[in-house]
């Protein structure tokens, strides 16, 4: 076709080379706002088009934020990363992306007084960068306000539309009414194109959306009616679900499932393997049926976590088995369910006096 359309998608590797404050970079490349402060700002590493005086088009920032927060976008483009200001030659990459300095000094380069064609947008997630020309595109994205917000993705198009070039040259005036009018249809058309080209991501457990994760779980025979799991936990479970299904009903599946759901391994006690010792004691602790299993977990859990673990364990244990889950607190009593590892010891009291600035440990007994 007559036009040369380019799309630039910001990945995690580019964000790692950028300067950001008030954000946490997740493994999937999303940026999560921190709870401290009201300014969350990202100075993105420049996007190199490889062409001087390139006309930049549409910029789309996919952000999930609370209503009280405001999105601000600043952009400019240059043909060279070094530019002369007075008698100085300034390295933009060093000045903007350096971890030293404050954000106010870096924002100066995005002001309209430094570069012609620089623009600022407030409260818009989908904008047109018409009028900005240059090989290197610089972006400053800021979220103002308190709350939880995610920057999910950043996409830039050049030249931003695909319909203007099909008209005769007399109608191809940039930034005209016809140009902006056709940009609406170009944006709608390209959104469909992106969805079609990225449909494979919806079939990948690493990148699929939350709704598709539930569909995959049903396809693989997992009952998700309890709605106990967050998106992150559900994704981790589905990635290993095929392996769990292959060894369903085994000790490995129970321990693996426990580690995925709780983030730490447990200890599994099978009643039928306890042949020697006090039978009455074993029956009281671990059940009286040879199919009973007891899962010992080091730590505490709320009621929802306990219900979640039991709900999914019942889908992987043998039919006749009964599972008992014991959460071991940090401090156990000898008359409750507990187990001692190789580093266990009986606490020995050490006498002390309160008027000699003596330190007290976690086990304090006052004798009056």
């Amino acid at each position: 076709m007559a036009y040369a359309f380019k799309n630039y998608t910001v990945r995690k590797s580019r964000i790692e080379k950028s300067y950001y404050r008030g954000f946490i970079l997740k493994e999937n490349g999303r940026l999560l706002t921190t709870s401290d402060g009201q300014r969350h700002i990202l100075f993105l590493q420049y996007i190199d088009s490889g062409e001087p005086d390139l006309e930049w088009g549409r910029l789309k920032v996919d952000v999930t934020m609370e209503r009280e927060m405001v999105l601000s976008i600043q952009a400019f483009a240059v043909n060279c990363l070094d530019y002369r200001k007075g008698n100085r030659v300034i390295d933009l990459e060093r000045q903007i992306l350096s971890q030293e300095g404050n954000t106010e000094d870096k924002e100066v380069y995005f002001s309209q007084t430094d570069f012609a064609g620089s623009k600022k947008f407030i409260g818009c997630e989908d904008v047109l960068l018409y009028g900005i020309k240059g090989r290197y595109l610089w972006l400053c994205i800021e979220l103002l306000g308190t709350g939880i917000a995610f920057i999910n993705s950043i996409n830039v198009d050049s030249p931003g539309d695909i319909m203007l070039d099909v008209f005769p040259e007399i109608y191809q005036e940039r930034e005209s009414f016809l140009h902006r009018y056709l940009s609406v249809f170009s944006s709608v058309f390209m959104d469909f194109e992106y969805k079609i080209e990225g449909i494979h991501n919806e079939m990948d457990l690493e990148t699929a959306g939350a709704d598709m994760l539930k569909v995959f779980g049903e396809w693989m025979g997992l009952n998700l009616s309890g709605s106990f799991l967050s998106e992150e936990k559900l994704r981790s479970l589905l990635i290993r679900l095929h392996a769990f299904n292959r060894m369903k009903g085994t000790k490995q599946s129970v321990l693996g499932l426990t580690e995925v759901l709780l983030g730490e391994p447990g200890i599994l006690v099978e009643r039928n393997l306890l042949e020697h010792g006090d039978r009455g004691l074993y029956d009281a602790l671990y059940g009286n049926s040879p199919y009973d299993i007891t899962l010992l977990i080091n730590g505490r859990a709320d009621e929802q976590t306990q219900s979640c673990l039991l709900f999914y364990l019942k889908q992987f244990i043998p039919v006749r088995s009964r599972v008992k889950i014991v959460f071991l607190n940090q401090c156990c009593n000898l008359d409750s369910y507990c187990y001692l590892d190789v580093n266990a010891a009986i606490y020995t009291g050490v006498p002390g006096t309160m008027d000699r600035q003596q330190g007290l440990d976690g086990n304090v007994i006052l004798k009056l």
Side-chain angles (χ1 to χ4, degrees):
M1 298 182 70
Y3 59 86
F5 184 83
K6 295 182 180 180
N7 173 258
Y8 303 88
T9 301
V10 176
R11 308 290 184 185
K12 179 184 176 183
S13 57
R14 186 180 299 275
I15 299 178
E16 289 176 336
K17 301 175 183 178
S18 305
Y19 175 94
Y20 56 89
R21 288 291 182 270
F23 285 106
I24 298 175
L25 180 60
K26 309 293 286 187
E27 288 297 324
N28 56 6
R30 301 170 69 192
L31 283 169
L32 169 66
T33 56
T34 58
S35 57
D36 54 326
Q38 294 188 351
R39 293 195 68 188
H40 315 275
I41 193 166
L42 165 67
F43 292 96
L44 190 67
Q45 186 197 35
Y46 59 85
I47 298 176
D48 184 4
S49 67
E51 300 180 17
D53 295 324
L54 182 77
E55 296 182 354
W56 296 93
R58 182 188 181 195
L59 167 64
K60 185 176 181 180
V61 180
D62 183 6
V63 59
T64 304
M65 60 182 178
E66 299 182 6
R67 293 184 177 181
E68 295 77 9
M69 305 186 74
V70 178
L71 173 66
S72 172
I73 300 174
Q74 299 182 74
F76 72 89
V78 290
N79 285 325
C80 182
L81 293 177
D82 296 333
Y83 86 103
R84 182 175 297 276
K85 186 175 183 179
N87 297 325
R88 295 188 304 156
V89 176
I90 298 178
D91 183 352
L92 288 177
E93 184 175 6
R94 180 178 180 181
Q95 295 295 325
I96 297 178
L97 302 182
S98 173
Q99 299 302 316
E100 301 177 355
N102 53 52
T103 57
E104 288 75 12
D105 294 337
K106 300 177 186 297
E107 281 186 293
V108 170
Y109 300 101
F110 290 83
S111 63
Q112 295 184 2
T113 57
D114 280 342
F115 300 103
S118 60
K119 293 187 176 182
K120 183 174 184 179
F121 309 90
I122 299 178
C124 300
E125 303 176 14
D126 196 336
V127 299
L128 297 175
L129 303 179
Y130 293 163
I132 297 181
K133 297 181 181 181
R135 172 177 174 175
Y136 303 97
L137 177 67
W138 288 91
L139 295 175
C140 173
I141 301 174
E142 184 176 9
L143 286 172
L144 298 174
T146 57
I148 299 176
F150 282 96
I151 295 181
N152 303 310
S153 63
I154 303 172
N155 290 275
V156 184
D157 294 339
S158 173
D161 60 77
I162 61 173
M163 296 186 176
L164 188 66
D165 290 339
V166 302
F167 283 80
E169 187 175 355
I170 191 174
Y171 297 106
Q172 296 182 15
E173 181 182 354
R174 299 292 174 177
E175 298 188 66
S176 63
F177 171 79
L178 179 62
H179 187 196
R180 294 181 176 275
Y181 179 73
L182 293 176
S183 295
V184 177
F185 301 98
S186 296
S187 300
V188 174
F189 178 81
M190 291 311 303
D191 284 343
F192 279 115
E193 285 289 318
Y194 296 150
K195 290 181 180 179
I196 294 173
E197 293 176 0
I199 193 64
H200 64 280
N201 293 325
E202 291 297 322
M203 304 301 293
D204 188 346
L205 291 175
E206 297 281 355
T207 57
D211 294 336
M212 284 301 299
L213 292 179
K214 297 179 181 179
V215 175
F216 291 146
E218 294 176 357
W219 286 356
M220 302 175 72
L222 186 66
N223 184 1
L224 299 172
S225 58
S227 300
F228 292 108
L229 297 179
S230 63
E231 179 181 342
E232 184 177 356
K233 288 286 186 181
L234 179 57
R235 193 183 303 275
S236 300
L237 175 58
L238 291 178
I239 291 174
R240 299 181 58 182
L241 185 57
H242 177 67
F244 290 157
N245 282 335
R246 294 186 61 184
M247 54 186 179
K248 182 178 290 187
T250 64
K251 177 179 180 180
Q252 289 76 13
S253 66
V254 174
L255 292 178
L257 186 65
T258 301
E259 186 172 0
V260 170
L261 297 179
L262 300 183
E264 59 177 311
I267 297 177
L268 188 64
V269 180
E270 301 176 73
R271 178 64 183 89
N272 64 325
L273 298 182
L274 301 176
E275 301 176 353
H276 306 287
D278 190 340
R279 181 180 180 86
L281 178 62
Y282 287 157
D283 290 346
L285 290 176
Y286 306 113
N288 52 16
S289 170
Y291 306 105
D292 290 347
I293 59 176
T294 302
L295 185 62
L296 304 176
I297 299 172
N298 186 22
R300 299 183 180 183
D302 53 28
E303 184 177 351
Q304 182 178 0
T305 303
Q306 297 178 29
S307 301
C308 171
L309 180 60
L310 183 61
F311 177 79
Y312 288 103
L313 282 180
K314 287 182 177 180
Q315 301 182 46
F316 288 87
I317 62 176
V319 176
R320 291 181 291 180
S321 295
R322 295 179 301 179
V323 60
K324 181 189 298 183
I325 305 175
V326 180
F327 288 89
L328 304 173
N329 297 332
Q330 295 180 352
C331 180
C332 298
N333 300 320
L334 292 178
D335 59 348
S336 62
Y337 296 119
C338 64
Y339 68 96
L340 303 179
D341 59 13
V342 294
N343 297 314
I346 299 177
Y347 176 75
T348 303
V350 179
T353 55
M354 299 183 64
D355 59 347
R356 295 184 180 179
Q357 298 182 349
Q358 184 170 358
L360 302 178
D361 60 11
N363 301 291
V364 179
I365 300 176
L366 297 179
K367 186 175 181 181
L368 302 177

